[in-house]
Amino acid sequence: SYSFCTLLTTQIKPKMINDKMWDLAGEAETLGEDIIALEEHLVVLDKERQDTRVTARSMKKKPKGSSWVLTDVGLFLRKSNEEVAEGLHKNQERLEDVISESRGEMKEKMRRLAELENNEDMQKWAAAFNLRPLGKNEANFNPNHE
């Protein structure tokens, strides 16, 4: 599978676009893909964080001294409420750290992408291909809406 930049490099490369522009366009494409992947990763982490909260809340309804049976691929463990609560708390802290780190990474990539979009060579790139931003109606296109 070819990326957009690879396809343009091998098929359409206009003479007015220099190698620096191609490098910037490739970097912008990579950053865009990374940002999308990070957004998807954050959605998964947020769901896991919410599931952990729900489990912790349900534990508070259990009487003191009760226990949980945990299963994992044929392994059964009996843990006290306190042990499970401690494990959930550690998992929650780990999730918060990973989410914070991922958000920081995404902000940095978005900052770099914004720099590239405002770069004079990237604006020449867009002009060479007659690219323009989508209008409001185009961006909200819904084929099922009449």
Side-chain angles (χ1 to χ4, degrees):
S1 72
Y2 286 99
S3 70
F4 177 72
C5 289
T6 304
L7 179 65
L8 288 177
T9 304
T10 58
Q11 306 292 324
I12 310 171
K13 189 172 183 180
K15 293 185 181 4
M16 65 187 299
I17 296 180
N18 61 38
D19 288 337
K20 181 180 179 187
M21 290 179 190
W22 287 104
D23 292 342
L24 291 173
E27 183 181 355
E29 181 180 22
T30 300
L31 285 168
E33 290 170 354
D34 290 349
I35 290 167
I36 291 169
L38 279 167
E39 286 176 339
E40 291 171 355
H41 181 65
L42 283 168
V43 167
V44 170
L45 290 172
D46 191 53
K47 180 174 180 353
E48 186 177 343
R49 178 174 57 178
Q50 182 61 23
D51 291 345
T52 302
R53 284 184 190 146
V54 168
T55 303
R57 245 180 296 172
S58 70
M59 286 187 57
K60 291 179 181 177
K61 297 175 184 175
K62 292 269 188 186
K64 291 276 186 197
S66 62
S67 61
W68 289 65
V69 175
L70 309 172
T71 64
D72 185 27
V73 190
L75 179 66
F76 292 90
L77 299 172
R78 182 175 291 271
K79 297 277 187 173
S80 69
N81 267 359
E82 293 77 22
E83 290 174 309
V84 174
E86 183 180 327
L88 288 171
H89 181 69
K90 285 180 182 178
N91 189 45
Q92 192 75 15
E93 287 177 345
R94 179 192 62 81
L95 285 170
E96 294 295 337
D97 290 344
V98 172
I99 287 171
S100 178
E101 183 180 307
S102 295
R103 283 186 179 152
E105 184 181 346
M106 189 164 78
K107 285 178 186 177
E108 180 59 30
K109 288 179 185 280
M110 290 177 77
R111 185 196 57 75
R112 177 65 182 141
L113 185 59
E115 282 178 9
L116 288 175
E117 288 174 349
N118 292 321
N119 182 293
E120 185 178 316
D121 287 325
M122 283 296 283
Q123 291 174 357
K124 288 178 187 175
W125 164 274
F129 285 98
N130 220 5
L131 299 176
R132 63 177 179 72
L134 293 174
K136 184 176 181 180
N137 291 337
E138 294 168 312
N140 294 324
F141 177 73
N142 182 352
N144 298 325
H145 181 51
E146 297 185 27

